[in-house]
Amino acid sequence: MSVITIVFLVYLAVLMGMALWSRKETHTMSGYFIAGKKLPPWVVAFSTNATGESGWLLLGLTGMGYAVGAQAFWVVAGEVVGIALAWLLLSRRIKRMADASDSITVPDLLAARFDDSRQLLRKVSVLIILVMVGAYVAAQMVATGKAFDGFTGLDYSTGVLVGASVIILYTLVGGYKAVAWTDLFQGILMLLGLIIVPLIAIDAAGGWAAVVSVLESQDPGLLTPWGPEGKSTIAIVGIFSFLAVGLPFIGVPQLMVRFMSARSEQSLVPAMAISVVVILLFDLGAVLTGMAGRALFPGLEDPEGILPLISTSLLHPVLGGIMMVVVLAAIMSTVDSLLILASSAVVRDYWQQIRGSNLTDRALANRGKWVTVFIGLIGIAFALHQTPLIFWFVLFAWSGLGAAFGPVLLCAAWYRGTTLEGALAGMLGGFFTTVVWVLWLKPYFFDLLEVVPGFLVGLALTIIVSKMTAKRGSE
């Protein structure tokens, strides 16, 4: 048995141990979907970061650092600012509103905030979550296959099946509590990996000065904030898009649930500090790994394979096995959260609230477990039949969720004049703008990231329609 296999099996044992430890919390919907709102600051912080980053951090962002060099630091800046704003603007208010209304999902919170007796917001939310989560989960399954292929030589399809089975199993057994605590464990592994690997890669290349010299000889644009394109409209739009990667942190439901699950509003203050510092270290490590990797291994056909290549070429087999686990941890920490999110949308929001199911709380929690399995199987099916670029495919789903929920949640928290009609218009407008932009308009605007027009349209519609309907209601 190879060293990598042994390391992987130890990792699986830890995950399953956490799932079994968390199992007693899964017999109610509040326990299965939100861990009874008892999570401590460190868990909330690491779970937020690990969920928000996913496989694109270790495969996609390292590949971006390889492909465009220093220009990728704009992504770092965008993510740090985005997550800081999410904590500052939304975390405490979301927690306060959720506790006051006894909400366990984001659609719960919105329905309570806008007194939505017809469940219109809930219906739209469920539809958007299922569509975007389907795309997101499929992209993460793709990342799983790439990770196994890059580290072990296991073929892509088998890697997808093995990785997905593990994720579905521990999520099914342990629910949200297992998801959050394994996110802490996985997040610590990711942090250590993204500190150690770039240091080793830079040292192997002869030091940072040598990395800079090699990159300059390949393309001087790799060392400038403008990127390989140089000063141009394309470069400016690219920088703006990279900065906007962090915008969906303000609103994506899988992160808002983290705020709701904290043990208290006060505990969110230390969690914020931990989260912002850790995400800065995550992203810097990923970009530096990609840049050092390009100096060491120029000419890769698939830049997203640079981290597995560095790990298998430069590290001791034990460390190589740990790095495979780190990549899988990044993927799993997102997929498990997405599975819980989609399952809660189906069971809590659709079956219980929209359909008015009379099933007991325990029966609904059990139904949620089977929905988790079903959605995971759909993700596997899509991943087995397509292998899109992880970075851009994840960004589409990330942008769609952010543009749909971000403007509405911002207004719900900060603008008292927001109406139900305004929230509906903003949610639908943000979502459909994102989809239309990707399908038809993006090439005509220098590939501007879809969350920018989506978020702006969603915010404008929420405010404008709220003002119009508020005036009509007062007449």
Side-chain angles (χ1 to χ4, degrees):
M1 187 179 293
S2 70
V3 173
I4 289 179
T5 303
I6 293 171
V7 172
F8 180 59
L9 290 176
V10 170
Y11 173 65
L12 293 188
V14 172
L15 294 187
M16 289 310 302
M18 289 183 172
L20 292 171
W21 168 68
S22 306
R23 190 170 182 269
K24 64 181 180 181
E25 298 276 358
T26 67
H27 301 309
T28 65
M29 280 201 296
S30 176
Y32 186 69
F33 291 131
I34 206 167
K37 299 183 180 180
K38 301 173 184 175
L39 297 181
W42 278 91
V43 176
V44 174
F46 269 91
S47 185
T48 300
N49 286 4
T51 298
E53 291 294 3
S54 77
W56 87 265
L57 171 68
L58 288 153
L59 299 179
L61 188 54
T62 55
M64 181 60 61
Y66 185 100
V68 303
Q71 192 183 27
F73 286 120
W74 291 110
V75 177
V76 181
E79 289 220 320
V80 170
V81 171
I83 201 164
L85 288 175
W87 284 100
L88 288 169
L89 297 177
L90 288 178
S91 63
R92 299 183 70 175
R93 292 185 178 232
I94 291 287
K95 174 64 176 171
R96 199 178 307 153
M97 289 191 292
D99 286 352
S101 58
D102 199 26
S103 299
I104 63 175
T105 67
V106 170
D108 263 350
L109 187 149
L110 291 174
R113 166 67 174 80
F114 296 109
D115 194 23
D116 184 12
S117 58
R118 292 178 292 169
Q119 308 290 357
L120 298 176
L121 274 173
R122 206 184 290 272
K123 291 172 183 176
V124 172
S125 297
V126 169
L127 178 63
I128 292 172
I129 286 171
L130 291 180
V131 171
M132 291 291 97
V133 165
Y136 216 146
V137 169
Q140 298 306 315
M141 300 300 189
V142 169
T144 303
K146 281 191 173 187
F148 273 105
D149 181 45
F151 281 100
T152 67
L154 198 67
D155 68 271
Y156 169 82
S157 297
T158 305
V160 169
L161 292 172
V162 171
S165 299
V166 172
I167 299 167
I168 293 170
L169 182 59
Y170 79 76
T171 306
L172 172 69
V173 173
Y176 182 81
K177 183 175 180 180
V179 167
W181 280 93
T182 54
D183 283 352
L184 173 62
F185 172 59
Q186 292 164 334
I188 292 171
L189 289 177
M190 290 161 61
L191 180 59
L192 293 175
L194 286 170
I195 291 173
I196 293 170
V197 170
L199 291 176
I200 290 175
I202 291 169
D203 181 66
W208 182 245
V211 170
V212 169
S213 176
V214 172
L215 293 181
E216 187 173 25
S217 68
Q218 292 180 18
D219 183 349
L222 294 170
L223 300 173
T224 73
W226 297 99
E229 297 287 341
K231 293 183 180 180
S232 63
T233 302
I234 294 176
I236 292 171
V237 174
I239 289 169
F240 197 53
S241 295
F242 287 166
L243 285 170
V245 168
L247 191 57
F249 277 111
I250 308 172
V252 286
Q254 63 269 34
L255 300 191
M256 299 302 103
V257 170
R258 265 70 195 157
F259 303 151
M260 295 163 64
S261 68
R263 70 165 53 138
S264 68
E265 187 180 329
Q266 291 71 31
S267 71
L268 291 169
V269 177
M272 175 179 66
I274 296 165
S275 175
V276 172
V277 171
V278 169
I279 205 165
L280 174 62
L281 295 174
F282 273 178
D283 288 1
L284 285 175
V287 174
L288 290 172
T289 297
M291 293 177 70
R294 177 150 182 169
L296 287 166
F297 305 102
L300 286 186
E301 185 175 337
D302 182 6
E304 291 178 352
I306 187 58
L307 182 68
L309 180 58
I310 289 174
S311 300
T312 54
S313 302
L314 302 182
L315 302 183
H316 184 277
V318 172
L319 288 177
I322 292 173
M323 280 312 302
M324 184 189 78
V325 163
V326 168
V327 174
L328 292 173
I331 298 164
M332 292 177 176
S333 62
T334 297
V335 177
D336 53 18
S337 299
L338 294 171
L339 292 177
I340 289 288
L341 173 65
S343 179
S344 68
V346 172
V347 175
R348 167 70 170 185
D349 296 306
Y350 177 71
W351 263 323
Q352 187 182 51
Q353 299 295 332
I354 296 174
R355 292 291 300 273
S357 172
N358 292 321
L359 290 174
T360 65
D361 199 52
R362 187 183 184 109
L364 285 168
N366 287 333
R367 184 164 290 189
K369 297 175 184 179
W370 291 112
V371 172
T372 298
V373 175
F374 179 71
I375 294 170
L377 292 176
I378 292 175
I380 292 172
F382 276 103
L384 290 175
H385 288 88
Q386 55 185 326
T387 56
L389 287 174
I390 297 167
F391 187 89
W392 299 114
F393 203 58
V394 166
L395 284 184
F396 170 60
W398 176 247
S399 297
L401 288 170
F405 288 95
V408 174
L409 285 168
L410 270 178
C411 290
W414 288 96
Y415 176 40
R416 289 190 177 186
T418 309
T419 64
L420 172 61
E421 294 83 358
L424 272 172
M427 187 175 289
L428 288 168
F431 174 70
F432 282 116
T433 299
T434 300
V435 174
V436 169
W437 194 266
V438 169
L439 294 180
W440 292 293
L441 300 178
K442 194 171 182 177
Y444 300 104
F445 293 87
F446 303 100
D447 287 332
L448 177 67
L449 187 64
E450 51 272 17
V451 73
V452 177
F455 203 98
L456 291 176
V457 168
L459 188 60
L461 283 174
T462 303
I463 295 172
I464 292 170
V465 175
S466 290
K467 287 183 178 294
M468 292 172 58
T469 52
K471 285 182 180 179
R472 192 170 64 216
S474 63
E475 291 173 356

